[in-house]
Amino acid sequence: MKLVTAIIKPSRLEEVRQALNALDVHGMTVTEVKGYGRQKGHSEIYRGTEYAVHFLPKLKLEIAIEDAQLDAITGAIRDAAQTGRIGDGKIFVFDLEHVTRIRTGETGAAAL
């Protein structure tokens, strides 16, 4: 089992959700986060005063999947989230050692 964590632009969430639904992935956790990479923030003007925004709003998606789904899911996220501009995000993949569904007590792949 794997845990796929993707950091994407907030405007791309619906496209990513639709791409994952097409692959029968119906469960994910979405968290609003802030951060930066090579984009390094930007400057904005508010009421005539310029100020620097160092941490940009992003969304963090977390999806628990079976190993066989990994390539299809990471590809779908990449294709749906990609705009071709700096700041599109990253996808991280972690080994998932154990999963338990609290309601039923199912464990492993059955709990996904």
Side-chain angles (χ1 to χ4, degrees):
M1 292 179 292
K2 302 287 185 193
L3 178 65
V4 176
T5 301
I7 308 297
I8 65 169
K9 290 181 176 183
S11 61
R12 304 305 292 179
L13 177 62
E14 187 57 26
E15 289 85 352
V16 171
R17 188 191 66 77
Q18 289 175 359
L20 292 173
N21 277 345
L23 295 173
D24 288 331
V25 175
H26 299 292
M28 76 173 88
T29 301
V30 179
T31 309
E32 292 181 3
V33 296
K34 291 185 179 195
Y36 69 92
R38 291 184 181 163
Q39 200 173 4
K40 296 184 178 132
H42 63 274
S43 296
E44 289 187 1
I45 297 177
Y46 179 71
R47 294 189 178 184
T49 304
E50 184 176 355
Y51 64 96
V53 177
H54 296 289
F55 295 99
L56 301 171
K58 302 288 182 179
L59 293 179
K60 178 178 165 182
L61 311 178
E62 295 174 303
I63 309 155
I65 62 169
E66 294 185 41
D67 292 346
Q69 299 174 297
L70 181 61
D71 291 337
I73 288 174
T74 56
I77 294 169
R78 182 193 62 238
D79 293 344
Q82 186 176 43
T83 65
R85 291 176 289 184
I86 195 165
D88 278 349
K90 292 239 172 40
I91 301 171
F92 305 96
V93 178
F94 304 95
D95 285 324
L96 192 56
E97 207 170 297
H98 186 77
V99 177
T100 301
R101 185 185 309 266
I102 295 173
R103 177 177 55 88
T104 62
E106 295 170 303
T107 59
L112 296 178

